[in-house]
Amino acid sequence: MKAKLAAFFTVLLMAVMPVSAQESLPEVNTQDPYKMVEQVGNHTFARIKAAKDDIAKNPEILREIMEQELLPYIDYQYSAFKVLGKHFDMKKTSKETLIEYIRVFRQYLVTTYAAALSYYDDQEVIFSPPKDFEGDKNVTVRALIRDGERPDIDVAFKVRKSGKADDWKAYDMVAEGISMLQNEIKQYEPVMRTEGIDKVIEIMRDRIAKPIQLQSLDGKSKQQGSEE
């Protein structure tokens, strides 16, 4: 049974991952969760900062940055099935539907992270010192986002060992105690229970179709092209 599941997820991964996903990736230490998060975070924030003017004109660029810099280090398959909750039964779902769900969830996650990081505007990001993680399978890597006179924002990245190679990948981001993954579970688990996976896919597609809106740290939307 385990062999069949492993084979299925191998096929699933090949079906949803673009050919270019592993090309030109920056050097990241995926064997150390603390270094992995800091390196990926720094690469991502540096890309956003470098593209600041272009993003102000076209916020959709954030999706491209998330796709290239962040997503290769996110265990999105793990998150995808967690979101469906306890009412999901893989045995009753066709392979084609599962592949389509993972494909849609992958883009949904890109959209979600692009929206979540749309507020970033040259703030200082300070990652917490590493701790001993030997023997651990799950680790929380904390960071502070500082923005002048505003209060610091506490951010935590939850990471887990993924695969036999002992690579670490993130599966959740928590900002000021609010878990992105738990929010998605609360939203979609009732839908899965009452209307099924096809409805979940439909809702996610609708969310993906909406344009990215730039946000400030006070929660206000920035107008496209504005320098505020």
Side-chain angles (χ1 to χ4, degrees):
M1 183 64 181
K2 289 183 179 180
K4 289 182 179 180
L5 283 174
F8 169 73
F9 281 116
T10 299
V11 173
L12 190 63
L13 184 62
M14 292 174 65
V16 299
M17 181 171 288
V19 174
S20 61
Q22 297 302 321
E23 297 177 2
S24 303
L25 290 177
E27 185 176 349
V28 171
N29 184 353
T30 59
Q31 302 291 303
D32 184 321
Y34 293 93
K35 290 181 180 178
M36 186 274 289
V37 169
E38 183 169 359
Q39 289 167 349
V40 171
N42 285 336
H43 291 150
T44 302
F45 291 129
R47 278 284 303 276
I48 295 174
K49 182 177 180 179
K52 176 182 175 180
D53 293 340
D54 291 333
I55 291 171
K57 299 173 184 176
N58 179 18
E60 293 300 314
I61 292 173
L62 282 168
R63 294 190 207 249
E64 179 182 333
I65 294 175
M66 296 304 111
E67 175 89 30
Q68 296 175 354
E69 302 292 346
L70 199 61
L71 202 64
Y73 308 99
I74 301 291
D75 194 344
Y76 61 87
Q77 291 188 50
Y78 174 81
S79 298
F81 289 110
K82 290 286 286 185
V83 163
L84 292 178
K86 60 185 179 182
H87 302 288
F88 171 65
D89 188 346
M90 182 182 293
K91 295 179 181 178
K92 295 181 179 180
T93 308
S94 70
K95 182 176 72 174
E96 292 75 19
T97 299
L98 285 174
I99 288 174
E100 180 61 13
Y101 169 65
I102 295 296
R103 192 192 306 277
V104 170
F105 183 84
R106 186 179 186 278
Q107 290 308 115
Y108 176 82
L109 202 60
V110 168
T111 301
T112 301
Y113 273 99
L117 295 181
S118 65
Y119 64 81
Y120 182 75
D121 186 22
D122 297 352
Q123 292 91 358
E124 181 183 11
V125 182
I126 305 171
F127 291 92
S128 61
K131 298 179 180 179
D132 181 18
F133 59 90
E134 186 176 356
D136 293 336
K137 294 183 179 180
N138 288 272
V139 168
T140 299
V141 181
R142 302 187 182 280
L144 283 178
I145 297 178
R146 289 184 173 168
D147 183 48
E149 297 179 356
R150 292 187 178 97
D152 293 345
I153 296 177
D154 291 309
V155 178
F157 298 89
K158 294 189 176 294
V159 296
R160 64 189 290 268
K161 277 190 177 180
S162 177
K164 295 181 180 179
D166 285 343
D167 286 337
W168 289 83
K169 286 191 173 184
Y171 65 91
D172 190 16
M173 183 174 74
V174 181
E176 292 296 310
I178 301 174
S179 162
M180 182 182 294
L181 181 59
Q182 289 301 317
N183 273 352
E184 301 302 327
I185 292 172
K186 288 179 182 178
Q187 178 179 353
Y188 289 107
E189 187 176 32
V191 178
M192 183 66 210
R193 183 181 71 250
T194 58
E195 301 183 70
I197 192 170
D198 289 333
K199 186 63 177 180
V200 172
I201 292 172
E202 178 186 336
I203 295 172
M204 288 185 175
R205 282 183 180 142
D206 288 343
R207 175 67 181 90
I208 294 167
K210 293 179 180 179
I212 300 297
Q213 298 289 331
L214 299 183
Q215 302 286 331
S216 62
L217 281 175
D218 58 11
K220 296 180 181 179
S221 295
K222 299 179 184 177
Q223 291 186 350
Q224 187 170 321
S226 171
E227 293 183 357
E228 295 180 2

